[in-house]
Amino acid sequence: MRVALLTEGGYPFARGESVLWCDRLVRGLGGHEFELYALSRSPRQEQAGWCDLPQNVRHVRTAPLWGEPPVHVPCADGTAARGITGRRERRRFAECFAELAAAICTPAADGDEPDRADRTGPTAAERFAAGLHGLADLARDHGGLPDAIRSELAVRVLESACRAPGALRAAHAAQVSDLLAVVDRLERALRPLSLDWLDEGPGSAGLGDADLCHAVGGGPAALAGLLATRAYGTPLLITEYGVRLREHYLASTPLPAQAGGVGPGGAAPGVRPADARQPVRALLASFQGRLAHEAYARAQLITPGNTHARRWQERCGARRERLRTVYPGMDAEPFTEVGEAVMDVPAGGSDGDTPGCGGRSRPTLLWVGRVEPAKDLVALLHAFSEVRHALPGARLRIVSTGLGTAPDAAAYAAHLRALAAHLFPDEAADTRSVGENPVVFEEIGGPAAPTLADAYAGGTVAVLSSVVEGFPVSLVEAMFCARATVSTDVGAVCEVIGGTGLVVPPRNPRALADACLALLRDPARRTRLGAAARARALELFTVEQNVEAFRGIYLELMSRSTRAPAALDVDGAPVPFAQPAESHVPGRWASTARPPAALASATASPRPAGLRSPAHARAAQPATVHGPSWARHAASGTPAVGVRPGQEDPA
């Protein structure tokens, strides 16, 4: 089948979240053809280029969510863009934007089904959907919305909605600068409405000819899928390993001093100073919630990465029967050698025995991850202080995989080093030895930890001390390496370890120290927990189980699809058996499949508006790479799949 993969800030760019997951999914489902529609978040991400693309990627289209608004694209009928300039168009825009703004400014009702208490008129969710799709139609008819959304008219409409009775309390206090900041962020988030990604027809390389839209996230990436579902009935699948609304809250609301204000993995864009005011945060959070509710309502299936994300999605309006948890797949191969290096623990083993580390070694606590305030390494250092009092020979390795995206991440890392030097002065075994600090700061790729597997091989117990966490990747890596773990009860931690490790409350250094001491003093218990953890990780969190889950989901969605018939006769009636069975095989295997000659005139006849293109009419096209779609600029020629713009075809 032909799958349109919609991403934001990730694949196919070399930098960003979910890049590895998307690449493994596309490569694992080699029998399907993929089309990539990617939204970039920063110029830095675009400058990093693309990762190598597999051969089953037909084409790529990209568009930025940063910088100045794009130029107008041609209208849906192919005429030159006129923009929202006429009196009629401005009135229509004001009506649609007023519906959207009114929904954003309306407080969400409590309960599983928001806005159901007031049935005297349309609910806020219905008004949001009407405004959103009305703006999409306006953009398609007149060549884009950026200028209109940034106009004085939009600011006045939003101001009226903020001042209306019953609006959000924070919205009443919005000043002109706040309104300008909100419309600027709305323009960026709504840019997918102005893209020309809905092209339809044989060889069009657009969403109108895709069999399935798979959106990675329920934010702007899902907007194009919503339009395709509304226009052509294309099934929409949404995969979220970090709920966008939750990430927005974490990125926009400062946490306590130790926790910082950064979402897990930096998945949400950073917050600018203009967005720090309460009215701006409240309005943007309401927009994210309304957008998520609309995306969940239109999607045929939603696949959260864990139960923690699933609860957030249900709170945002997702129906339980459309939710199916699919754990993210991780590559277990690099950790196989470490995980299988099991050492027999002698009866009555002592404190320092570390299975898989080549015999007796110093008891070592290991922390691996990105250094940022949300990881609460300050609490870990204080907990290790108590561990050192009980086990003077213990040491702590803090292995960094990079700095977080918080503005103060570098300062936080420097503060940790200063705190470690204060709590643990360099100690020497005797008067002739050089003193050393029991806390060691390392980086992946350095001499002590060339790879992640090497880092975990040198640890006795893996520790996670976060106060904010989504899916704990470092815990799964430690489980692949058969290491016992101590972690704080945040995010999906309990769901991931499933009883194969110790869990303590966050921000509790004493409880963290007690749990670490319990494992450091009991080698047999560590061995049992490590073996159980590895078995659980290999069963639930591998790439293979993730790919097979989506293979079945794709086929299930296609079997339940209610899309338009593939072939119609001259009167617009379906033609039975017009599409041979072999045409359902991926295009490169059945590129010669054609309908009977007698049906040529029927399939070439005009089709009613909104019906999808015949699947058998898709000729095998070489992969093409498109630049920003609003400029309708395609790369010259037809470069091979996986070749970045500017590179020559290796063939």
Side-chain angles (χ1 to χ4, degrees):
M1 69 181 67
R2 189 173 177 181
V3 181
L5 190 62
L6 313 172
T7 66
E8 177 194 355
Y11 197 66
F13 299 106
R15 300 177 60 93
E17 303 301 318
S18 74
V19 173
L20 287 178
W21 174 80
C22 289
D23 185 67
R24 292 164 180 166
L25 177 70
V26 173
R27 294 181 185 275
L29 298 178
H32 300 299
E33 295 175 348
F34 283 85
E35 304 164 355
L36 304 183
Y37 298 84
L39 300 171
S40 64
R41 286 180 176 165
S42 66
R44 182 183 177 188
Q45 187 177 52
E46 292 197 354
Q47 292 169 2
W50 297 351
C51 55
D52 294 330
L53 302 179
Q55 293 297 322
N56 58 330
V57 175
R58 289 174 56 93
H59 70 268
V60 178
R61 289 191 179 185
T62 64
L65 293 179
W66 52 272
E68 293 300 318
V71 298
H72 293 292
V73 300
C75 302
D77 56 5
T79 61
R82 300 182 296 274
I84 312 298
T85 56
R87 181 180 301 176
R88 181 178 302 176
E89 289 82 4
R90 287 172 59 84
R91 184 185 304 114
R92 182 181 170 194
F93 168 79
E95 293 173 353
C96 296
F97 193 75
E99 290 291 300
L100 188 79
I104 294 174
C105 294
T106 301
D110 296 330
D112 293 337
E113 296 184 1
D115 312 319
R116 294 298 180 185
D118 181 14
R119 300 304 299 173
T120 59
T123 65
E126 293 168 347
R127 298 187 70 178
F128 182 88
L132 183 68
H133 295 295
L135 291 175
D137 294 338
L138 194 62
R140 191 162 176 82
D141 293 341
H142 300 282
L145 295 174
D147 293 340
I149 297 180
R150 289 186 175 219
S151 66
E152 180 182 357
L153 175 60
V155 176
R156 291 185 180 276
V157 170
L158 180 60
E159 182 181 19
S160 299
C162 292
R163 304 292 187 263
L168 289 168
R169 180 178 302 176
H172 285 289
Q175 302 176 1
V176 174
S177 59
D178 301 328
L179 299 175
L180 291 174
V182 171
V183 296
D184 177 69
R185 294 296 295 269
L186 290 180
E187 183 275 320
R188 297 171 188 267
L190 295 176
R191 281 186 186 180
L193 300 181
S194 302
L195 303 179
D196 59 345
W197 288 356
L198 286 180
D199 300 341
E200 181 190 16
S204 66
L207 289 174
D209 206 30
D211 295 316
L212 172 67
C213 287
H214 187 174
V216 185
L223 280 175
L226 288 175
L227 300 184
T229 298
R230 178 170 174 258
Y232 310 116
T234 309
L236 174 61
L237 169 65
I238 296 179
T239 295
E240 282 190 314
Y241 291 123
V243 179
R244 181 58 184 264
L245 180 60
R246 173 180 178 269
E247 294 166 355
H248 173 81
Y249 282 138
L250 293 174
S252 61
T253 305
L255 295 176
Q258 285 189 358
V262 180
V271 178
R272 299 171 298 177
D275 298 342
R277 285 178 51 83
Q278 176 62 19
V280 180
R281 297 202 309 266
L283 291 173
L284 292 179
S286 179
F287 169 77
Q288 294 290 347
R290 298 296 179 191
L291 179 57
H293 185 279
E294 174 66 11
Y296 296 158
R298 302 292 180 183
Q300 276 68 38
L301 196 63
I302 307 163
T303 54
N306 51 73
T307 304
H308 180 67
R310 182 181 183 127
R311 289 195 296 266
W312 273 86
Q313 291 170 339
E314 290 183 6
R315 182 63 179 172
C316 292
R319 296 165 56 181
R320 292 187 177 182
E321 62 271 17
R322 295 186 182 182
L323 290 170
R324 186 174 306 174
T325 302
V326 179
Y327 295 118
M330 297 177 57
D331 188 8
E333 183 63 27
F335 309 101
T336 300
E337 183 177 354
V338 177
E340 292 181 350
V342 179
M343 172 184 172
D344 293 334
V345 179
S350 61
D351 297 348
D353 294 330
T354 304
C357 292
R360 292 178 55 85
S361 61
R362 293 178 61 182
T364 303
L365 298 179
L366 175 69
W367 181 94
V368 178
R370 288 198 292 189
V371 177
E372 56 186 0
K375 304 303 182 181
D376 201 7
L377 292 175
V378 172
L380 177 59
L381 290 175
H382 285 286
F384 182 65
S385 177
E386 298 189 22
V387 172
R388 285 279 296 179
H389 283 96
L391 289 178
R395 67 171 182 161
L396 170 64
R397 295 178 61 199
I398 297 179
V399 182
S400 170
T401 58
L403 292 179
T405 57
D408 58 344
Y412 183 75
H415 171 67
L416 292 176
R417 293 178 180 271
L419 180 61
H422 175 72
L423 293 177
F424 311 100
D426 292 347
E427 300 175 355
D430 50 49
T431 57
R432 299 181 180 181
S433 302
V434 178
E436 62 176 10
N437 197 297
V439 179
V440 181
F441 291 87
E442 304 170 358
E443 292 184 359
I444 293 296
T451 64
L452 282 171
D454 294 326
Y456 288 107
T460 308
V461 174
V463 185
L464 183 143
S465 56
S466 303
V467 294
V468 174
E469 193 73 51
F471 185 85
V473 174
S474 61
L475 278 187
V476 177
E477 294 169 346
M479 293 166 70
F480 281 142
C481 294
R483 290 299 182 264
T485 61
V486 174
S487 49
T488 51
D489 187 6
V490 292
V493 166
C494 289
E495 181 181 1
V496 167
I497 65 173
T500 64
L502 303 186
V503 180
V504 299
R507 298 193 186 95
N508 193 332
R510 176 166 296 181
L512 190 64
D514 291 343
C516 292
L517 285 172
L519 291 182
L520 290 176
R521 289 170 169 170
D522 194 341
R525 186 182 184 188
R526 290 200 311 267
T527 303
R528 292 194 303 269
L529 290 177
R534 174 170 168 78
R536 178 176 176 81
L538 292 176
E539 179 182 1
L540 299 178
F541 308 124
T542 61
V543 175
E544 292 75 16
Q545 66 84 21
N546 183 270
V547 170
E548 288 304 315
F550 279 103
R551 189 192 306 276
I553 287 173
Y554 283 3
L555 296 177
E556 177 184 346
L557 289 178
M558 288 305 300
S559 67
R560 298 186 303 179
S561 176
T562 57
R563 59 182 180 173
L568 305 174
D569 60 18
V570 293
D571 298 325
V575 178
F577 309 109
Q579 184 171 332
E582 58 269 19
S583 66
H584 291 282
V585 180
R588 65 177 184 272
W589 298 105
S591 59
T592 58
R594 294 292 184 272
L599 298 176
S601 60
T603 58
S605 61
R607 293 177 287 111
L611 294 185
R612 306 189 46 191
S613 305
H616 54 68
R618 302 171 188 157
Q621 300 289 334
T624 56
V625 179
H626 295 262
S629 57
W630 45 69
R632 288 187 175 271
H633 174 70
S636 59
T638 55
V641 176
V643 180
R644 300 178 182 176
Q647 292 181 344
E648 296 183 356
D649 189 338

